[in-house]
Amino acid sequence: MYGHRVSKDQGAVEPATKDDIAAHLRDRIRDGELGPGDRLPTQQKLVRQFRSNRNAVREALNVLKAEGLLAHTGRGAPPVVAEQSTHTEAPRPAGVELAERVLAAFHAEHVTIDTYSLTTETLNTALAAARLAIEAGDLNPQSITVRVIMPDPHAELALPCLVGDPTDPRPRERLRELMQTYAQVLVMDLRKLQELELVSDVSVQIRWMRMTPTMKYYRLNNSEVLHGLYKVIPRTVTHRHEDMEIYDVLGVEAWLFRYSSGSDSRDDQETAFVDTTAEWFDSLWAVAEPSDLTR
């Protein structure tokens, strides 16, 4: 049975916090007392059991869902214990995988996202569902911290480039316009959550480097990495009413591979990959220059 905390001053039983409830249920799942497919008690019963409140119970269930331990934590029927993933599912396109994992990450109290990519287009799209959930009151993170590293569009990047003339500046001009548009939307959408007093603290920082990304990288809540490779393709694009044939990189459709250092990590090698790439990102961040894309 759950051991309630007792106040030293009054000898009264203190209500269980979100972390207390999550820890107790997590232990029961990991010890096998609650197995895959088992249904948890209703939120009302959990409130009585833990002598807490519905908000604390709901947040605890959301935490366990984000950890992959529960399924069906929304309104209606009580959640069930999820099948413990062996984490061998196939990678999925970035536009699909990132949206799902970002939404799960936003169940945390403090959300952090680090990304290295050509633009923030995929990230902007992935954040849409999380923003709507916050505005609806279904998610309530206390802080959101986003760090973005992108290429310096003023530099002579290897990609994108004009087919037959890699020195033509027009593909980089087009890239800069796209980078600026997506970056401004990213900053505006997230800061709006703070302006509406839905999130207490929002920080979005963008820096750039004089290098062309050949991969895209996302680190979520310091415990999960999504990694994909850009595919170079020739295609025709329009820039300022003029068609150009360029070598471009495929982003939204690129496959993302997921790595975790959390409870669903497959082994020590996967955990080491998450930790090592975190050090790699931090090393780039330390030397990257602040961008002017959102000015």
Side-chain angles (χ1 to χ4, degrees):
M1 181 177 292
Y2 172 72
H4 297 288
R5 295 177 300 173
V6 177
S7 169
K8 295 181 180 179
D9 295 332
Q10 301 177 359
V13 175
E14 296 181 359
T17 66
K18 171 195 70 175
D19 293 334
D20 294 331
I21 299 169
H24 178 73
L25 294 175
R26 186 185 297 111
D27 288 343
R28 293 182 65 190
I29 293 171
R30 290 178 175 172
D31 291 344
E33 183 180 345
L34 292 170
D38 288 348
R39 192 173 296 282
L40 268 63
T42 64
Q43 291 189 18
Q44 184 177 2
K45 290 182 178 180
L46 290 174
V47 167
R48 291 199 300 267
Q49 176 185 349
F50 293 100
R51 300 183 186 180
S52 188
N53 58 72
R54 189 175 294 272
N55 189 55
V57 167
R58 184 172 62 249
E59 290 183 354
L61 296 179
N62 285 336
V63 167
L64 296 179
K65 181 183 179 184
E67 294 176 359
L69 297 177
L70 294 181
H72 310 303
T73 58
R75 295 184 177 90
V80 299
V81 178
E83 295 287 343
Q84 296 308 296
S85 172
T86 56
H87 204 107
T88 57
E89 62 270 17
R92 295 185 295 173
V96 176
E97 181 74 0
L98 186 61
E100 180 179 299
R101 299 314 306 165
V102 164
L103 183 60
F106 267 73
H107 285 86
E109 183 175 359
H110 301 287
V111 179
T112 63
I113 300 176
D114 290 336
T115 177
Y116 172 70
S117 59
L118 193 64
T119 74
T120 65
E121 177 184 8
T122 307
L123 179 59
N124 289 10
T125 303
L127 285 166
R131 289 191 294 101
L132 290 175
I134 292 173
E135 293 174 2
D138 296 329
L139 295 177
N140 54 358
Q142 296 301 301
S143 69
I144 302 172
T145 302
V146 178
R147 299 190 300 174
V148 178
I149 299 177
M150 293 191 294
D152 182 350
H154 301 295
E156 293 186 7
L157 303 175
L159 296 167
C161 68
L162 194 70
V163 174
D165 185 3
T167 63
D168 192 304
R170 289 177 297 163
R172 290 194 300 275
E173 292 171 358
R174 175 180 175 273
L175 173 62
R176 176 176 170 78
E177 292 175 5
L178 291 174
M179 291 172 64
Q180 185 166 20
T181 297
Y182 291 127
Q184 288 175 338
V185 171
L186 174 70
V187 174
M188 179 181 64
D189 285 349
L190 290 179
R191 287 181 178 169
K192 180 182 177 182
L193 297 175
Q194 187 172 18
E195 293 170 0
L196 294 175
E197 299 183 349
L198 297 173
V199 180
S200 299
D201 183 34
V202 173
S203 171
V204 185
Q205 299 182 67
I206 300 176
R207 297 184 181 181
W208 59 28
M209 299 192 67
R210 292 178 174 270
M211 56 191 297
T212 304
T214 55
M215 67 169 191
K216 55 197 320 174
Y217 168 91
Y218 306 93
R219 178 170 54 147
L220 309 177
N221 293 347
N222 301 317
S223 62
E224 180 177 357
V225 164
L226 301 172
H227 173 270
L229 302 175
Y230 281 121
K231 181 179 179 181
V232 180
I233 59 170
R235 69 187 188 112
T236 301
V237 299
T238 302
H239 175 60
R240 298 178 183 175
H241 309 292
E242 182 180 3
D243 289 341
M244 299 185 297
E245 187 177 3
I246 67 171
Y247 287 116
D248 204 359
V249 292
L250 198 63
V252 175
E253 295 86 1
W255 295 103
L256 284 185
F257 297 80
R258 178 174 177 263
Y259 304 86
S260 172
S261 60
S263 60
D264 59 343
S265 175
R266 289 170 294 187
D267 49 37
D268 290 343
Q269 179 169 291
E270 182 173 3
T271 298
F273 179 84
V274 174
D275 294 341
T276 300
T277 57
E279 295 175 359
W280 162 81
F281 182 90
D282 289 341
S283 70
L284 292 186
W285 185 259
V287 298
E289 297 290 334
S291 80
D292 60 5
L293 290 176
T294 57
R295 292 178 187 173

